[in-house]
Amino acid sequence: MTTSNRPTDPPPRPLAQRLGAILWPSFFAAGVATMLFFALIDPLELRDITFPELELSRMAGYTIGFFLFWAATAASSLFTWLLLRPASRFNRNPPQ
């Protein structure tokens, strides 16, 4: 019999923990990005440049901006999580 010297992978984390590890840091990053972006850019001026026909309030501009930043930072966290998963989970030898 041969024994493998490869370390065993830890069990997969619960879904709530995986989602929290992706969404919680991205929430904070989106908050910081929103503050920095809107410290320099007025949402009403941005609306007038991009979509002048839309009736959006300043608060709606802040909200839309925050959720766009949150989506972008969550995507970044998700891709990092995907790339950091152990390759051995996906490169197992097929059953013989």
Side-chain angles (χ1 to χ4, degrees), residues 34-92:
T34 302
M35 287 186 288
L36 293 175
F37 182 79
F38 288 118
L40 302 173
I41 307 290
D42 181 20
L44 295 180
E45 290 181 17
L46 185 61
R47 178 210 57 195
D48 292 341
I49 293 170
T50 56
F51 301 105
E53 68 278 356
L54 290 179
E55 286 294 325
L56 292 176
S57 67
R58 184 172 275 124
M59 188 60 71
Y62 291 139
T63 303
I64 291 168
F66 171 77
F67 282 111
L68 287 175
F69 281 124
W70 196 7
T73 54
S76 173
S77 294
L78 175 65
F79 294 141
T80 301
W81 174 76
L82 288 172
L83 292 172
L84 288 177
R85 292 183 300 171
S88 59
R89 282 197 187 146
F90 308 102
N91 297 332
R92 298 191 194 275

